[in-house]
Amino acid sequence: QVQVVESGGGLVQAGDSLRLSCAASGRTASSYAMAWFRQAPGEEREFVAAIGPRGDSTYYADSVRDRFTISRDNAKNTMYLQMNSLRPEDTAVYYCAAGGAGVAGMESFYDYWGQGTQVTVST
């Protein structure tokens, strides 16, 4: 069993940066791929970025590819999402997910989910 907890959300202005963290607990946490998803008000949850178990493979949604960077520190059982050049359309609840052994953008690939952290980007 793996538990994941997000942190680092907040209110920022357009153009600012923010770093989200996802702390994973459980003996096998470092063997799972991990990902970030987000859900804006009134919208479906969407994929943001994923990273393989060793951190050597990553996958991004087109909308964030050149602005966000996903990384992980397995020694700390923590995954990060560095978000730069934030836009109002990035406003959403950001969810951390873990599961599987490869990177994927499908929700069904991930077995463990956090409660989410709110990111609000003002104009």
Side-chain angles (χ1 to χ4, degrees), residues 9-43:
L11 172 63
V12 297
Q13 293 186 326
D16 285 351
S17 298
L18 200 61
R19 188 176 81 159
L20 304 182
S21 298
C22 173
S25 64
R27 205 166 40 148
T28 59
S30 62
S31 66
Y32 288 101
M34 297 183 74
W36 291 97
F37 288 78
R38 68 186 182 186
Q39 187 169 22
E43 303 287 335

Side-chain angles (χ1 to χ4, degrees), residues 2 4-5 11 17 24 40 59 66 72 74 87 89 99 114 118:
V2 175
V4 292
V5 179
L11 172 63
S17 298
Y59 176 47
D66 297 324
R72 67 190 296 167
N74 284 343
R87 304 167 180 168
E89 53 264 40
Q118 176 71 47

Side-chain angles (χ1 to χ4, degrees), residues 44-86:
E44 297 287 322
R45 189 157 57 185
E46 66 175 4
F47 169 73
V48 175
I51 188 165
R54 295 188 302 275
D56 55 352
S57 59
T58 57
Y59 176 47
Y60 294 91
D62 289 342
S63 59
V64 306
R65 187 181 309 280
D66 297 324
R67 300 184 295 122
F68 292 7
T69 302
I70 191 171
S71 61
R72 67 190 296 167
D73 184 341
N74 284 343
K76 297 181 179 179
N77 274 353
T78 302
M79 175 181 66
Y80 305 97
L81 184 68
Q82 177 67 43
M83 304 185 294
N84 298 329
S85 302
L86 281 162

